[in-house]
Amino acid sequence: MQAVDSEAREIRDLLVKVDSKLDGLQSGLQALDKKVDVYIARTDERFNSIDNRFKSLDTQIADLKKSTETQIADLKKSTETQFADIKVQLRAQDTRLWGFVVTLSLAVIGFLSKLAFFPSGRI
């Protein structure tokens, strides 16, 4: 009987040790679980921060695109106006040139006619 009692005590002691080790493992797992939750929360915060940065960049890009399109439209309008002004100036220059050419031609024809019809040199 003593052998059975000593074996029972040994088994009970072993079970107490196993139970205490299991409690230690359980507390370690709880601590590890808390650390994992903290890391998950940090990771979520980082992803949210990165997501907000991307949204901010998208907004900035959209604003830049609108600004660029506006500047291009203004430049196009200005260029078209300048081309219209240049066309008007060229027409005016063409008119003056043709007026000068016609006047010079008439003067030359008049001078040649005077020489042809009045060769004596008297006017």
Side-chain angles (χ1 to χ4, degrees), residues 21-86:
K21 287 187 179 187
L22 285 176
D23 287 340
L25 282 175
Q26 186 177 7
S27 65
L29 284 175
Q30 287 174 350
L32 185 61
D33 190 37
K34 286 180 184 178
K35 284 183 180 181
V36 168
D37 287 342
V38 168
Y39 287 128
I40 289 172
R42 285 182 186 169
T43 304
D44 287 344
E45 288 177 19
R46 288 179 183 165
F47 280 133
N48 289 337
S49 173
I50 291 170
D51 191 37
N52 289 336
R53 288 180 189 169
F54 279 128
K55 287 179 183 177
S56 173
L57 284 175
D58 287 342
T59 304
Q60 289 176 354
I61 289 171
D63 292 344
L64 183 62
K65 183 178 178 182
K66 287 179 185 177
S67 173
T68 304
E69 288 174 352
T70 304
Q71 289 176 353
I72 289 172
D74 291 344
L75 181 63
K76 184 177 178 182
K77 187 183 293 184
S78 173
T79 303
E80 288 173 356
T81 305
Q82 289 175 354
F83 279 139
D85 292 343
I86 289 171

